[in-house]
Amino acid sequence: MLKRVLPHPVLSITLTFVWLALVNKITLGNLILGGALGMIVPLVTAPYWPDRPTLRNPLMAAEYILVVLWDIVVANVQVAMIILFKRNDAIHSKWVTIPLDLTSAEAITVLAGTITMTPGTVSVTLSADGSNLLVHCLHTDDPEAVRDQIKARYERRLMEVFQ
Amino acid sequence: MIADILITFFLVVSGVFGLVGSFGLIKLRDTMQRVHAPTKATTLGVGGVLIASMLYFLLIKGSFSFHELLITLFLLLTAPITANFIAKTFIAVHLRARDLPETGGEYGWAVYDDPPTRPDAE
């Protein structure tokens, strides 16, 4: 019964909080409206997430978010340095292929988004069967090291969070 | 006083990074390199303004605003997707499969190759 009304409790709670933050004022009316949105939206969007993964390890998810936020700051400084102080012909851009151990679509989406936001890399496309990720690296002389770092730093943590 | 200095600091940092990000768009040579500039340098640029705005309302106006947190959240969600779309469009139009490295698997990159058919797809 509960599963029918609230198919995705985490999404419901998130939506309610986002609504309250949007109106920026906590009143009973807003709480009811937010709660209603939190119930209706998951019901309507249910067809879009057929076999969603469960969050196995919320603590690891929190650690992941902190690591990524820190890396975004580092990435910004690194890319700014490359833009400002490297001559154009000294910038060695490379394609890097990353074999994926993750299988769930949601986890791969998070990984691809993270790669785009962090040091000098943009994720471009998946292989047709979803087992490899193509990444463009702004400046590197050692593509293997980039691949190993992404696998060790992000994918390992995501494996623990999602599967 | 300290609040003013702190807010100013974040505004200056964000201004510098925004400028560098935009400069990168002019300076770098090809589209794939240019995608890097707005996805990174600009994140910290916008982030700095948002932190400054939050501090301003918190320390000087004495009220707390959630809106900046939401902008950060939406920005972090949308920036990678935009970059991914631009990159995908670029390789679909300007590159061929032989310009890219091998996938290392049976199937090619999704832009050029069809996905395997699922057994239940009949």
Side-chain angles (χ1 to χ4, degrees):
Chain A
M1 180 59 201
L2 191 66
K3 198 125 184 82
R4 194 90 117 343
V5 184
L6 286 176
H8 198 327
V10 180
L11 181 61
S12 303
I13 293 170
T14 313
L15 282 170
T16 311
F17 270 111
V18 167
W19 177 257
L20 288 177
L22 271 176
V23 292
N24 221 354
K25 210 186 318 172
I26 298 175
T27 61
L28 186 63
N30 284 332
L31 199 62
I32 292 173
L33 191 53
L37 282 172
M39 276 182 67
I40 295 167
V41 174
L43 287 177
V44 175
T45 57
Y48 296 114
W49 26 269
D51 13 65
R52 75 194 154 90
T54 43
L55 277 185
R56 286 286 158 78
N57 194 339
L59 252 169
M60 189 48 114
E63 184 192 314
Y64 184 76
I65 291 172
L66 288 181
V67 167
V68 169
L69 282 180
W70 172 247
D71 283 357
I72 288 175
V73 177
V74 176
N76 276 285
V77 177
Q78 281 182 351
V79 171
M81 289 300 167
I82 292 175
I83 290 174
L84 285 179
F85 299 117
K86 269 206 183 301
R87 283 179 302 107
N88 270 343
D89 36 327
I91 299 178
H92 302 144
S93 293
K94 292 222 172 62
W95 298 100
V96 180
T97 305
I98 298 176
L100 293 173
D101 294 320
L102 292 166
T103 48
S104 99
E106 285 83 355
I108 295 177
T109 311
V110 175
L111 180 68
T114 311
I115 289 173
T116 300
M117 300 308 285
T118 49
T121 47
V122 168
S123 50
V124 179
T125 186
L126 281 170
S127 67
D129 57 349
S131 64
N132 290 276
L133 185 66
L134 181 65
V135 168
H136 186 263
C137 199
L138 178 59
H139 174 76
T140 181
D141 289 318
D142 190 359
E144 274 85 28
V146 173
R147 187 194 64 205
D148 294 343
Q149 200 218 358
I150 288 172
K151 282 192 81 74
R153 200 169 167 85
Y154 307 123
E155 197 185 18
R156 182 182 58 78
R157 290 195 168 90
L158 282 176
M159 291 287 276
E160 287 182 39
V161 173
F162 282 104
Q163 12 199 283
Chain B
M1 183 59 189
I2 297 174
D4 287 338
I5 294 173
L6 213 59
I7 293 167
T8 316
F9 170 76
F10 278 110
L11 281 178
V12 170
V13 166
S14 71
V16 168
F17 276 102
L19 191 67
V20 171
S22 314
F23 175 63
L25 279 180
I26 309 174
K27 189 210 169 198
L28 295 172
R29 281 164 307 178
D30 62 55
T31 309
M32 275 317 299
Q33 288 184 344
R34 289 199 184 108
V35 172
H36 288 274
T39 50
K40 313 233 170 39
T42 323
T43 318
L44 209 59
V46 179
V49 177
L50 295 174
I51 293 173
S53 160
M54 267 178 104
L55 287 175
Y56 174 74
F57 279 105
L58 196 65
L59 299 175
I60 293 178
K61 294 276 179 179
S63 66
F64 187 75
S65 164
F66 285 104
H67 285 166
E68 287 85 356
L69 287 178
L70 284 181
I71 297 172
T72 316
L73 178 71
F74 294 150
L75 193 75
L76 288 183
L77 288 180
T78 51
I81 295 172
T82 319
N84 185 245
F85 268 55
I86 295 172
K88 257 186 177 168
T89 315
F90 174 76
I91 66 168
V93 175
H94 291 282
L95 298 179
R96 292 286 152 265
R98 62 170 180 279
D99 299 327
L100 300 173
E102 297 282 318
T103 56
E106 283 176 61
Y107 293 91
W109 298 112
V111 175
Y112 312 108
D113 205 0
D114 289 330
T117 43
R118 283 160 51 159
D120 56 339
E122 300 310 304

